[in-house]
Each structure stands twice: as C-alpha cells, then as structure tokens.
Amino acid sequence: MNPLYASMPTTIFEKMSGLARETGSINLGQGFPDSNGPADVVAAAAAALTDASNQYPPMAGLAVLRQAVAGHYRHHQQIALDADREVIITSGATEALAASILALVSPGDTVLLFQPLYDAYLPLVLRAGGIPRFVRLEPPHWRLTAEALDAAFTPDVRLAILNNPLNPTASMFSAEELALLADRVVRNDAVVICDEVWEHVVFDGRRHVPLMALPGMRDRTVKIGSGGKIFSLTGWKVGWMCAAPRLAEPLSRAHQFLTFTTAPNLQAAVAHGLGKDDGYFTAMRADFARSRDRLVQGLGEAGYVTLPSAGTYFVPIDLAASGIMLDDAGFCDRLVRDHGVAAIPVSAFYAENPVTSVVRLCFAKRDETLDPAIGRLADARRAMAR
Ligand code: PMP
Ligand code: GLN
C-alpha cells in the first residue's frame, strides 16, 4: 500500500458535500451550479448518444472537439494551436493535471506551487516524486511579488503549477504578475502547467490572459481547460491539455494509460458548445455576476465582510473582519451543523502555514437557493460574532 494514499484524508469538497447531504444543508461548498447547463449542449450530447458511435474515440480525442478547442482559443484568446499535435482531450481537467504532472515531473525535481493550491496538485506532485516548494499568497489581494518569486525560483526549479483565475480566492493574476513568472521560467528554461479552467468565468469586463501568450511561454506552457466549467456541466468531466509538440507527446503517453479516452457523446456536445457565439459567453458571465452581487449584498447586509470576486463561482468571506474570531474550519463546521449551510475553509488549500480566516462560498445558484442561504448565514453571524 502506498503510504501517501493510506494516510490521505477525503477531499474537502467531498467532505463538505457529504456533510451537506447528511444535515440537509444548502450546499454553497463544492463549486457547481444548481442549473443543468445550456439546453442545446445537453441536447447535442443526447443526440450523439443515439446517432453517433459509442465505441472508443481516438486517444487524443474526437477530431471535431480538438478542432473546436483550437478554434475556440484562436477566437477568444488569439492563440494558434495545431488541433492534431497540440490538443489532447482528457477526462476533465483533473486527468489533464494528473497526466501532465506524471509526464513532466521526475523523482527529485523541485516543483513550484502557489498557495492556496487546488487540492489535486500536491498529492500528484508527491506521487511523481517531485519536491514541492511553496510560494504563499495572502489576502486580501493574493498578489505574486518579484521578491517571493525570486526567493523560490532557484535554478533547480524545473516546473511550476499555476491556477489562473485562482480557486479558491476568486482572484486573477495581472498581466504584470504573469510577466514576472514568465521571466523566471524562461531564464530557468523551465515549464509551467497553467490550470485555466476558470478562463471564461470572469466578471466586470475583465479578460483572461493565457500564460501561453506571454513572450517565451508558447513552448513552455501546458494550458489546461475544462468543458465542465465553461458550460456549467461539472459532472461531464471533459477537459483538455494544450502544449507544443515536445510537451504534448509525453503528455499523451501519460494520458494513454490513465483513461485513454473520454465518452464520445460528451466530447461531441462540448465541441458544439465551444462554437457558440460571443453572446452566450457574455450572458453566462453576466448571469453569474448577478448571482455574485446578490450573495455579496446579502452577506454585507448580514454584517459580513467579503473579499473581491473577479472570477470563478466563488466569493471569499473575511471572518476576522466580519467580527468572527473562530478559525475557518471551526466556522464551517458550526455553519453546516447548526445553521444548515455548507462552505469551504480556505485553509484546506494550504499545505503549510495556512491562512485560517477566509471561507469560500459558491454563488453559482438560483435565487431560490441563495436567498434562504443568506438568511441562514445571517443567523450564523448573529450566533458566532463577538
Ligand atoms: N482545477 C481547478 C482549479 C478547479 O477548480 C477544478 C474544478 N473546479 C478542476 C481543476 C477540475 O476540473 P474537472 O472537473 O474538469 O476535472
Ligand atoms: N473544483 C471544485 C471546487 O473547487 C470541486 C471539484 C471536486 O470536488 N473535485 O469546488
């Protein structure tokens, strides 16, 4: 038995969703919308199930989806990708992360990770034999500084793993911060796995800057995306990894023995969705921004102080500033058990020296879900604030 797995806890997402089910709570923890995704994309999946092949698709993914990914990024992010050599379809971004970490990390390699970090990164890096080195980001702005990067980016760093926009902080790295990172990566002749699953879920006119588009980064970046996030279909697990052929080749060797392929009808439907016009993406963002604003306003009226939410499905609460002296895990525990709302403690995203005063709430819900949750959160603050 591998000791890493034997001693590993269940992920915070499953733990909090489990508690939500047990206690009958409103689940603002794990990030998923309570809608069922765009009807035409779901219909395309249903049609493909009956009208198209249900046998193994090609290992790299259906050609129509690889072409749709390349076309989508050409249109939305001005990146030119070769659909045949630079796009590999995976079973969610999670498999793309696993494949790219397995393919790019050799035992003993130093891997730079930014905390807070998405839960899958560290266990995968450790299992691959990598030596993690952490750069710590802090509220309220979660900024990446030249000083922190220079302290961490020693010549032995071969790989960095970045998430932008960043879950759980709901922040986005600026073009200047990305340029600082790109500069060190190029100087070190290193590579970055950039998890950009939240690239379309950005608000207030912001635009996502793909790391791959920065000078020197085209051949040094593995860009990871997910249809689950782009179309609010989180259960579908259709993702992809895009990289120059010298990286894509080893990535595809790792992918061939993880899942080899992904359900063809879902691939066909995501290909259909990626071709939707700009209006769809603008409306999707406006819809989420409206839900964000509804939750932020309700929380504010209840006396909570929230941190900015530039993207993702999430809004962070600053507990101390909200007059709550409990740590995040203690607050989330009481919130779900006594007040019927599940949330995620941000300390779960730190491997060391955690920030313990921030809680993540998911606003990607209908008003009928958000409004009672706000009422319960208001009760919780009355009970827990000093
Ligand atoms: N990376 C990040 C930062 C995420 O937030 C998520 C899921 N929300 C994933 C990866 C996993 O994506 P998928 O469901 O496509 O595997
Ligand atoms: N990415 C989702 C979140 O941040 C959870 C995904 C999962 O449960 N593995 O809530």
Side-chain angles (χ1 to χ4, degrees), residues 35 70 83 85 87 91 104 106 151 180 183-184 225 233 235 244 272 280 294 298 373 379-380 382:
S35 57
R85 301 176 67 216
V87 180
S91 293
L104 299 178
S106 299
L180 287 174
D183 170 70
R184 273 73 178 171
L233 292 161
H272 163 83
Y280 166 78
R294 191 178 187 94
D379 291 342
R382 274 191 290 276

Side-chain angles (χ1 to χ4, degrees), residues 92-94 97 118 121 163 167 195 197-198 226 229 234 237:
T94 306
L97 285 163
Y118 186 64
Y121 302 169
N163 174 213
N167 176 10
D195 175 347
V197 299
W198 297 102
S226 171
K229 292 296 163 343
T234 63
K237 305 296 274 191

Side-chain angles (χ1 to χ4, degrees), residues 229-298:
K229 292 296 163 343
I230 298 179
F231 300 110
S232 307
L233 292 161
T234 63
W236 276 22
K237 305 296 274 191
V238 178
W240 46 84
M241 42 194 183
C242 307
R246 76 167 178 115
L247 297 172
E249 279 158 22
L251 299 187
S252 87
R253 301 302 175 267
H255 160 70
Q256 70 184 348
F257 295 130
L258 281 170
T259 60
F260 184 80
T261 194
T262 298
N265 68 313
L266 301 182
Q267 292 196 44
V270 170
H272 163 83
L274 288 172
K276 282 159 102 52
D277 60 21
D278 292 356
Y280 166 78
F281 296 96
T282 310
M284 180 265 282
R285 283 191 275 270
D287 238 31
F288 282 130
R290 200 192 54 76
S291 297
R292 174 198 62 174
D293 294 347
R294 191 178 187 94
L295 180 59
V296 166
Q297 175 166 347

Side-chain angles (χ1 to χ4, degrees), residues 11 13-14 17 29-32 94 118-119 167-168 197-198 229 237 314 344 349 360:
T11 81
F13 308 118
E14 183 63 23
S17 283
Q30 193 177 31
F32 59 90
T94 306
Y118 186 64
D119 64 350
N167 176 10
V197 299
W198 297 102
K229 292 296 163 343
K237 305 296 274 191
F314 309 116
I344 299 287
F349 292 71
R360 189 194 87 173

Side-chain angles (χ1 to χ4, degrees), residues 127-164:
R127 192 67 184 89
I131 316 284
R133 182 172 301 151
F134 300 105
V135 174
R136 187 172 186 273
L137 309 175
E138 291 174 359
H141 299 300
W142 317 98
R143 288 283 155 251
L144 191 54
T145 63
E147 296 69 41
L149 267 179
D150 286 336
F153 224 119
T154 50
D156 57 323
V157 172
R158 310 276 13 106
L159 176 73
I161 305 179
L162 189 76
N163 174 213
N164 187 42

